[in-house]
Amino acid sequence: MNCYGKYAAVTLTILSVFLHLLHTFPDGEFLMQGCPECKLGENRFFSKPGAPIYQCTGCCFSRAYPTPMRSKKTMLVPKNITSEATCCVAKAFTKITLKDNVKIENHTDCHCSTCYYHKS
Amino acid sequence: MSPFFVISVLFGLIFGQTASLCAPSEYTIHVEKRECAYCLAINTTICAGFCMTRDSNGKKLLLKSALSQNVCTYKEMLYRTALIPGCPHHTIPYYSYPVAVSCKCGKCNTDYSDCVRERLRTNYCTKPQKL
């Protein structure tokens, strides 16, 4: 019974590790050598056979550090931390109309640029 | 608790942690006050690295909450206080600054963070450093 308990514990632990990794990278991207670069990847949700839709996905650099005193003096509401961030966004895209008049973007080029949806 | 189980859990935790590159990094901040004679260089730890983001193909189809982008930011931090040398008696010579204990890819909290893309370089000394 003790032996089976050990095997069960190990199996559960390995399973939780894989589930954690899958949850972190929902498209199955495993970081074997760090973060994948910001680039085009096929969006399987919108793509149809012969009509692929591409989406910009990948990693970009960001950092958070104590706000320099000189900068703090110029702030209307002084903040202790400055966060400089870039996000993987489309540099160029074409507009596609799907069925039911749904308009989406088909990304053609990507880059690390301004984030718009990163604030809380 | 079985040692075999503990080792497996540790393996899982370690392997999970090495997957992200957003991590505590060494950084030097330069602090000076107008009233004080010297500039102080402080070696501290900040959060820096890469985080996974994506740009939605259908921004108008989704709620703003679904368009979330994660950036490298503080997860746990503590505050330390340093003494700026060469300050007159009527000036408060202390400077408090955050130190990163751990980091995460998450939202930029506007309660205490100035969330920008890039800031003009202002982290430098105009006064001499006391040796």
Side-chain angles (χ1 to χ4, degrees):
Chain A
M1 191 61 190
N2 194 24
C3 187
Y4 284 126
K6 279 183 193 174
Y7 281 123
V10 169
T11 306
L12 279 170
T13 306
I14 292 169
L15 189 63
S16 68
V17 167
F18 278 119
L19 284 171
H20 165 74
L21 290 172
L22 280 171
H23 176 71
T24 310
F25 311 109
D27 289 339
E29 290 264 14
F30 285 90
L31 302 179
M32 301 310 289
Q33 290 181 352
C35 247
E37 63 167 315
C38 171
K39 62 183 181 198
L40 289 170
E42 190 173 347
N43 186 329
R44 294 180 201 123
F45 181 79
F46 287 115
S47 288
K48 296 214 173 355
I53 300 291
Y54 295 101
Q55 180 184 26
C56 290
T57 307
C59 295
C60 293
F61 185 78
S62 52
R63 62 177 184 166
Y65 55 89
T67 303
M69 282 183 87
R70 214 170 267 112
S71 301
K72 233 183 193 179
K73 286 176 190 170
T74 64
M75 290 179 178
L76 204 63
V77 181
K79 303 279 174 76
N80 285 338
I81 290 165
T82 292
S83 170
E84 287 181 342
T86 54
C87 293
C88 186
V89 295
K91 193 176 179 181
F93 60 87
T94 55
K95 287 187 181 172
I96 304 282
T97 304
L98 301 175
K99 283 181 187 176
D100 302 326
N101 215 28
V102 172
K103 291 188 172 70
I104 61 165
E105 296 168 358
N106 188 6
H107 301 164
T108 54
D109 195 10
C110 309
H111 64 166
C112 288
S113 189
T114 309
C115 306
Y116 288 107
Y117 308 106
H118 66 303
K119 296 181 186 179
S120 69
Chain B
M1 197 181 279
S2 149
F4 204 51
F5 175 77
V6 171
I7 289 166
S8 304
V9 169
L10 283 171
F11 168 79
L13 286 170
I14 291 164
F15 190 71
Q17 288 296 324
T18 54
S20 171
L21 293 186
C22 170
S25 305
E26 297 289 313
Y27 187 79
T28 303
I29 54 175
H30 298 99
V31 181
E32 58 186 32
K33 283 189 173 180
R34 191 165 41 89
E35 305 87 353
C36 304
Y38 296 101
C39 177
L40 178 67
I42 303 170
N43 292 326
T44 185
T45 307
I46 66 166
C47 288
F50 290 82
C51 290
M52 188 75 163
T53 52
R54 62 187 65 200
D55 194 4
S56 172
N57 293 101
K59 291 184 191 61
K60 291 179 183 175
L61 304 174
L62 299 169
L63 295 169
K64 266 193 175 177
S65 55
L67 297 169
S68 177
Q69 293 168 320
N70 288 336
V71 298
C72 187
T73 187
Y74 293 82
K75 183 179 178 183
E76 290 171 279
M77 68 175 113
L78 51 88
Y79 273 83
R80 286 208 180 117
T81 304
L83 181 71
I84 305 170
C87 295
H89 292 297
H90 64 271
T91 304
I92 300 169
Y94 299 105
Y95 174 76
S96 290
Y97 57 96
V99 179
V101 175
S102 61
C103 305
K104 64 173 182 181
C105 286
K107 300 286 239 180
C108 181
N109 192 321
T110 53
D111 287 343
Y112 53 79
S113 301
D114 186 31
C115 308
V116 297
R117 181 190 162 174
E118 207 174 336
R119 179 170 291 289
L120 286 173
R121 202 176 150 264
T122 55
N123 181 29
Y124 55 87
C125 286
T126 58
K127 296 182 181 182
Q129 292 182 40
K130 192 172 187 181
L131 297 170

